[in-house]
Every structure is written in C-alpha cells, then in structure tokens.
Amino acid sequence: MNKKNILVTGGAGFIGANFVHHCLAEKIGLIVNLDKLTYAGNYQNLERLAYNADHVFVRGDIADQSLVQSLLDEYQPGAIVNFAAESHVDRSITGPDDFIQTNVVGTFHLIEAALQYWKGLSANDRSAFRFLHVSTDEVYGTLQKDDPAFMETTAYAPNSPYSASKAASDHLVRAYHHTYGLPTLTTNCSNNYGPYQFPEKLIPLVIHNALKGIEIPVYGDGSNIRDWLYVTDHCRAISAVLDAGQPGSVYNIGGNSEKTNLEVVHTICAILDQRVPREENLSYDALITFVTDRPGHDYRYAINASKIRREIGWRPQETFETGMAKTVKWYIDHAAWVENVTTGNYQKWIQTNYGQRT
Ligand code: NAD
Ligand code: TYD
C-alpha cells in the first residue's frame, strides 16, 4: 500500500473538486479521481490539473465494483474518500431512482471493493488504511427554532429521498466497520458554498439569476434556516479527520453560521449591489420572488461541531461574510464557467423545477 495515495470519488463535483485542489496544493500524494461525470460533474473543474502528475482522472461509476477493484489493485491507496453522490434535494423529489442507485447501491459496491482490497493488505497497512464517507447533516432531519443543534448521537430522521439515501449509505459504512472491522470514518457536514458549485443550489443559483436580471426564486416565505460552511473549510476538516479521526467514528462538521434563506439572498444582493450595480441603482433585492414551497421542506439544520473541535482541533477559518464575499467574486470572475454549465440539460431542469411553481 502507498499510504500517500488517495482514491477520491466524485472529485469532479463541487466539494470533490475543491478537495482534489486542496490535496494537490498540500502535496499530499497521488490523487486518483473516479467520477462518472453526471450533469453535476464537470471536467472543467479540474482542467488546470491536466498536466499535474499527481492527479489521475478516471471516468467511471462507483457501482462498477470491478473497475474500483482494479483501481485499488493498481494504485494501492492508503485511503478512499467518497464524495460521489446525487446531491440535490429537489431532484430527489422529482426523480429518486438515481439517488438510490448511486448513494445506496453505489456506496455498497464501493465499500465492498474496499473491504476486499483491505483484507489483502498487511497487518500494518490494514490498521493505517481509511475509508472516509462524506455525508450530510440532512440525515438527522429537521429542527425547530430553539432545538439544540445536531450531535453525532442525534437519531437519524431523514425526510427527503436524498437524505434517506445518504442515511442508508451511512448505515452501510457503520455496518462495515462494526461487522468486518474496516477502518471507516463518516463526516456529516452542513450546507457548503464556494467555487464550482452547480447553479441549481441556492447560493450559485441566486448569483446567476441576479446577474442575468431574472427572478430570484425563494421557496415558501424564506424563513428556513441552514448552517453555512465555506467549502475550503470543509476540505480542511476532511483532511484533518483522515489524519486524526478514530476508526469507526462519526464527526459533525459545521460553520456555526445559521442564516435564514432570506438573509442569505439579501447578503448576496447587497454584495452584488456594491460590485455590479444595476441600472438606476435598483437593488438586486427587487428580483426576489416567493414561489411554491418545496414538499417536505426541512425547516432548520444546525450542527454542533464541538467533537471535531475538541478531538481534532479543527475550526472554520472563514466567516459567512468573508466566505460569501469570496464566493460572489468567484462567480463574477468565472462567467464562462457558469455559461458552460447552464446550457443544454440545465435549461430542462429549470423548466422541470420552477415551471410548475407559482
Ligand atoms: P455534486 O453533486 O456537486 O457532485 C457529485 C459528484 O459525484 C459529481 O462530480 C458526479 O459526477 C459524481 N457522481 C455522481 N454519481 C456518481 C457515480 N455513480 N460514480 C462516480 N461518480 C459519481 O455534490 P457535492 O455538493 O460536491 O457533494 C459531494 C458529497 O458531499 C455528497 O456525498 C454530498 O452528499 C455531500 N455533502 C454535500 C453538501 C453540500 O452542501 N453540497 C453538504 C454536506 C455533504
Ligand atoms: P439547497 O441549496 O438546495 O440545499 P439543501 O436543500 O440541501 O439545504 O437549498 C438551500 C435552501 O434554499 C433550502 O431551504 C431550499 C432553499 N431554496 C430556495 O428557496 N430557492 C431555490 O431556488 C433553491 C434551489 C433552494
């Protein structure tokens, strides 16, 4: 086994691509990046790595167990970090099949290949190997305004097909540790934002629509609350858990930055008002449009991140204000990226999701 090599899955998506860039900047070792390149995976996110000898990109499916097995045999990684997933709640409502296939069946085949590989390692390598599964706070369900934030011990209560499929995958990972002794780690993180996020999720969608001068759709009354974390802080947390996490453990990761959706949207509009003023000094706020709510919409997510802070020493470096300023700037500066990902199938999705909302 080469302890420095990591098999990253889903590394062409939003968080995965940020993690790959983070690892290569830190010169951690060889990154083998397995990604199916679904609508959410974008090779452009990795283009500047085309000549980087520490990055190997493989287009493929985590559910293809023989492909995963052959990559493990060839590159002998010391860790697998699993980002690959269908990740958008609204898509899971209109079409849950892909969520079950990738998040549940795919994770099963990936971890089964990992187990077979791990069993063939020497005793030392077996204890050094890690399977890190990247998951979400949404598995814990929803909170009321004054409920305490989610802890690692909070009971699972997923409410959407997305969170149910992630919960199922978390349970598989737990079982592979408990039953076979595979050295697993699970991280449950709050909402991320930052560069390379596909503009179907709230923050990049709002920036995109505002800059186009089209309606900014806010579900319901905009009072739902999310705990926002800048993506680079999430990547640092994953690296820290890989290095210092206890096998079989779960770590909650969050930004300690709860905002209503309306607060998020107003923040983006205020930054844009400063950076790209509209004609006649109209505010971007004028584009906000309240639309039919998401079915089963979770009211509030909040993470208690005291375990990872106490045991591993991780804490976020960005505040919501600094992270949002960087994010809005990134989208303004990368208009060509946005243009490329918002053509073709993207238009069909916008019609499917927003066409029927009033
Ligand atoms: P994303 O949708 O942007 O990217 C997912 C990536 O996985 C894409 O590159 C896609 O091509 C790839 N993929 C999908 N199915 C695959 C398959 N069968 N085989 C191989 N690759 C496949 O998602 P993201 O926002 O970057 O999220 C990454 C992970 O982090 C997910 O597991 C998600 O549940 C979790 N997570 C996300 C957030 C968030 O706010 N975005 C928060 C907490 C946890
Ligand atoms: P999203 O980015 O889809 O993340 P998640 O549902 O996984 O938390 O949505 C964040 C919040 O923003 C969520 O409460 C739903 C809301 N939302 C809107 O109000 N309008 C939109 O167009 C989208 C995509 C989301």
Side-chain angles (χ1 to χ4, degrees), residues 178-257:
H178 189 79
T179 304
Y180 306 110
L182 187 71
T184 61
L185 296 160
T186 301
T187 54
N188 293 91
C189 188
S190 60
N191 286 60
N192 284 215
Y193 65 100
Y196 302 120
Q197 187 168 30
F198 194 73
E200 64 182 355
K201 305 276 172 68
L202 179 70
I203 289 178
L205 183 110
V206 169
I207 302 170
H208 169 260
N209 285 20
L211 288 172
K212 287 248 171 205
I214 57 181
E215 287 179 354
I216 297 173
V218 173
Y219 296 167
D221 62 3
S223 65
N224 302 67
I225 295 167
R226 299 291 183 263
D227 177 359
W228 293 96
L229 181 70
Y230 189 65
V231 64
T232 310
D233 279 326
H234 187 190
C235 295
R236 289 175 41 253
I238 290 170
S239 289
V241 170
L242 258 188
D243 287 346
Q246 278 300 314
S249 294
V250 174
Y251 296 90
N252 280 357
I253 304 169
N256 201 17
S257 178

Side-chain angles (χ1 to χ4, degrees), residues 194-195 230 271 318 321-331:
Y230 189 65
I271 298 172
E318 300 290 344
E321 289 67 31
T322 61
M324 283 300 293
K326 284 185 181 179
T327 302
V328 174
K329 180 175 184 325
W330 190 89
Y331 282 89

Side-chain angles (χ1 to χ4, degrees), residues 34-188:
L34 173 64
D35 195 297
K36 192 175 168 184
L37 295 183
T38 67
Y39 78 92
N42 189 346
Y43 189 73
Q44 272 183 88
N45 301 352
L46 305 164
E47 242 165 16
R48 65 185 156 100
L49 304 177
Y51 300 102
N52 189 323
D54 286 336
H55 180 243
V56 177
F57 182 77
V58 180
R59 184 174 192 182
D61 193 329
I62 56 167
D64 183 347
Q65 201 174 312
S66 58
L67 170 65
V68 176
Q69 198 74 62
S70 70
L71 293 175
L72 295 173
D73 290 342
E74 183 175 353
Y75 295 102
Q76 300 281 307
I80 299 175
V81 182
N82 182 30
F83 292 96
E86 290 294 333
S87 69
H88 188 35
V89 174
D90 291 316
R91 285 187 191 252
S92 84
I93 294 168
T94 57
D97 305 42
D98 289 346
F99 289 72
I100 304 304
Q101 177 55 34
T102 285
N103 301 1
V104 186
V105 180
T107 302
F108 162 68
H109 286 293
L110 180 72
I111 201 166
E112 187 53 33
L115 179 66
Q116 300 315 322
Y117 165 70
W118 177 76
K119 280 182 176 168
L121 297 175
S122 69
N124 277 349
D125 286 349
R126 276 205 301 278
S127 65
F129 179 80
R130 296 288 182 269
F131 182 98
L132 191 152
H133 180 61
V134 180
S135 194
T136 165
D137 59 358
E138 304 193 23
V139 297
Y140 298 120
T142 186
L143 295 169
Q144 294 308 308
K145 201 165 181 47
D146 297 320
D147 286 344
F150 300 131
M151 314 251 316
E152 288 78 0
T153 48
T154 302
Y156 274 34
N159 287 322
S160 71
Y162 163 65
S163 54
S165 66
K166 290 297 290 187
S169 65
D170 293 7
H171 290 326
L172 276 173
V173 173
R174 178 191 156 88
Y176 270 63
H177 175 72
H178 189 79
T179 304
Y180 306 110
L182 187 71
T184 61
L185 296 160
T186 301
T187 54
N188 293 91

